[in-house]
Amino acid sequence: MEILGIDIGFGFTKATNGKQDLIFKSVLGESTDIQFREQMLANGVAEEDYLQVEIDGKSYFVGELAERQSNVRFFTLDQAQFIGKFAKVLALTATARLVKGFVPVNLVTGLPIGSYQKHKDELAKLLLGEHKVTLVDASGKREEKSISISKVRVIPQPFGSLFNHMLNDQGDLADKRLVREKIGIIDVGFRTADYTISDKMRYSERGSRTTDSGIARGFNVIATKLRENSGVNVELYRLYEAIDRGSIKIRGKVYDLKGMTDQVFGQLATAVANEVDRLWADDWDMDAIIITGGGGAVLAKHLQPLLNGEVLSIDPKIDMRLYNVQGYCKFGQHIWGRGAAPVPAAPAPVNP
Ligand SMILES: Nc1ncnc2c1ncn2[C@@H]1O[C@H](COP(=O)(O)OP(=O)(O)OP(=O)(O)O)[C@@H](O)[C@H]1O
Ligand SMILES: [Mg+2]
């Protein structure tokens, strides 16, 4: 049995088996016949960027490949449509890439707090069972895989980050402190900002909510400005690299994005901090706050000074987009793996 964590985000799909991580944009496209498959130069595009799959008789380009090569591309920020049309293909693409096939897979995945009740059974049902997935590689070689998903556990997305903090790779408790304390989690993603509280490991409904204060809101402002100035409608998922770099070239003209980005992210951080203040007004006894998600990492420098209380620090070396999914995988180990069996207590490091 293989244990996988998959975080199907509006911006990026993230997956891990604990040893290997996978991340690609949550964009699908119609596959086209690519006549010239050779790379123009060696060391051009990484092999793993080529994601082509066939599922249920349909052929898709996935992620960057769809962005670059598909004439018709699909991308959504609508939850029902995301579950109905995207989740299965994105999750099975990730699964096919990470598992050998014929080995039963147990899967942990998540949903935003706000759509958890409504969609959790539907999502589990979509993924459970036998699936035939064909992977096509960059040279056109086909590999058919039989994927058998025997168990699916759906958890509220930000809990992934809590588990990632709390459990080690084997799924055993590593940080006992978090188990005894009241922890607030702020998960800023591409579309959603998710807030939740774990109070001595109990979920707090009062302190949990999903809002639209994701990075896309800031990207929208920038895309609108760019449309006004250049006449080109830049799709939101084509903005990550440009915003990261601080400039974008459209029809030969370079537009500086640094000033605007700083301003927009500052405003977004203020919106998030205000939501936190309102939502957690009665939770002044919080012990610590975790900022997570790829958007959390980007907003952290603006957001941290606006929050009251101890904020657990973010290691700038790690890719925070993977933080939830790594926790999903550890949680999978905890409930199904070695961590599920009682383990002799290892001498715990003593924290002063
Ligand atoms: N290396 C990176 N490449 C691209 N985006 C990055 C990177 N590092 C951080 N980001 C930021 O991460 C954001 C996406 O974060 P994340 O993957 O957590 O969102 P998501 O889970 O797909 O969205 P949601 O939770 O709303 O469904 C992007 O909007 C971008 O601002
Ligand atoms: Mg997310």
Side-chain angles (χ1 to χ4, degrees), residues 192-204:
T192 62
D194 270 73
Y195 307 95
T196 194
I197 293 175
S198 157
D199 188 359
K200 298 192 185 67
M201 284 319 287
R202 279 190 312 263
Y203 164 79
S204 152

Side-chain angles (χ1 to χ4, degrees), residues 14-51:
K14 285 82 62 176
T16 184
N17 54 16
K19 293 180 267 322
Q20 198 189 348
D21 301 327
L22 185 64
I23 186 161
F24 53 86
K25 288 186 187 178
S26 297
V27 180
L28 298 177
E30 283 181 0
S31 68
T32 52
D33 266 330
I34 301 180
Q35 299 186 44
F36 181 67
R37 285 184 176 269
E38 270 78 2
Q39 274 177 215
M40 309 281 182
L41 294 172
N43 305 325
V45 188
E47 182 86 351
E48 54 269 22
D49 280 351
Y50 193 97
L51 283 178

Side-chain angles (χ1 to χ4, degrees), residues 6-15 22 24-29 51 53 55 60-63 74 76 82-83 85-97 127:
I6 302 189
D7 180 2
I8 323 164
F10 281 101
F12 295 86
T13 299
K14 285 82 62 176
L22 185 64
F24 53 86
K25 288 186 187 178
S26 297
V27 180
L28 298 177
L51 283 178
V53 291
I55 293 168
Y60 301 90
F61 284 171
V62 184
F74 310 100
T76 187
F82 195 62
I83 301 279
K85 298 220 170 76
F86 290 72
K88 184 176 166 185
V89 176
L90 294 170
L92 288 182
T93 302
T95 309
R97 259 306 172 95
L127 301 175

Side-chain angles (χ1 to χ4, degrees), residues 10 79 112 157 187-194 210-216:
F10 281 101
Q79 184 72 60
Q157 279 174 355
D187 173 5
V188 186
F190 187 58
R191 185 185 106 83
T192 62
D194 270 73
T210 297
T211 73
D212 285 335
S213 300
I215 295 292

Side-chain angles (χ1 to χ4, degrees), residues 5 7 12-16 20-24 160-161 164 292-294 297 317-329:
D7 180 2
F12 295 86
T13 299
K14 285 82 62 176
T16 184
Q20 198 189 348
D21 301 327
L22 185 64
I23 186 161
F24 53 86
S161 288
N164 199 17
T292 183
K317 284 195 295 293
I318 56 175
D319 186 341
M320 289 306 287
R321 292 175 299 174
L322 292 166
Y323 218 68
N324 280 337
V325 81
Q326 286 165 348
Y328 293 172
C329 189

